[in-house]
């Protein structure tokens, strides 16, 4: 993955305005599918959606696990492309997931 692609993924976290399902079982199945697929954009949307949900209410144990896995997988994938530590990339992801969505 290139640094440019890694930056696009972080921008996707920040700008994604979708919503995860309100139904816990549907949401859990979709989140697990994103993890199984290994798509960084899927991780980005899962992290953003769960972060927004977390701001409104505490997450269930399964949602927290999915959020933590999404952040972990993203930081592992993006850190080498960006030449930054996984901890720093994790901070960037968390900052992007908390920010208000921007319109393009």
């Amino acid at each position: 993955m290139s640094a440019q692609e890694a930056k696009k993924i972080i921008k996707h976290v920040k700008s994604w305005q979708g919503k995860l399902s309100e139904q816990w079982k549907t949401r859990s199945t979709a989140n697990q599918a994103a993890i199984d697929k290994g798509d960084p954009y899927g991780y980005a949307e899962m992290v953003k959606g769960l972060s927004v949900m977390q701001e409104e209410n505490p997450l269930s144990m399964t949602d927290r696990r999915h959020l933590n896995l999404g952040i972990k997988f993203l930081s592992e994938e993006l850190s080498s492309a960006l030449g930054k530590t996984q901890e720093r990339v994790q901070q960037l992801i968390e900052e992007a997931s908390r920010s208000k969505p921007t319109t393009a």
Side-chain angles (χ1 to χ4, degrees):
M1 174 182 299
S2 69
Q4 182 179 2
E5 185 68 19
K7 289 175 185 177
K8 282 174 57 177
I9 292 169
I10 291 176
K11 186 176 180 180
H12 188 67
V13 172
K14 187 173 186 172
S15 64
W16 189 71
Q17 297 182 44
K19 219 175 173 179
L20 301 181
S21 175
E22 295 292 325
Q23 300 295 320
W24 72 268
K25 191 170 185 175
T26 303
R27 182 175 62 248
S28 180
T29 301
N31 289 341
Q32 189 61 52
I35 290 168
D36 293 343
K37 188 175 177 186
D39 174 29
Y41 286 94
Y43 297 151
E45 292 170 5
M46 180 178 64
V47 166
K48 178 65 176 240
L50 290 172
S51 295
V52 168
M53 289 179 71
Q54 183 173 255
E55 290 174 6
E56 298 167 3
N57 293 303
L59 294 177
S60 70
M61 187 169 60
T62 301
D63 284 338
R64 275 194 315 271
R65 183 175 65 80
H66 284 149
L67 176 59
N68 291 334
L69 282 173
I71 291 171
K72 177 181 181 278
F73 293 154
L74 270 179
S75 63
E76 287 173 356
E77 260 192 72
L78 303 181
S79 63
S80 62
L82 294 172
K84 298 184 184 300
T85 65
Q86 286 185 18
E87 292 79 17
R88 179 61 186 134
V89 173
Q90 185 172 340
Q91 289 174 336
L92 293 172
I93 293 165
E94 290 172 353
E95 289 168 10
S97 68
R98 282 192 302 264
S99 65
K100 298 291 183 201
T102 58
T103 54

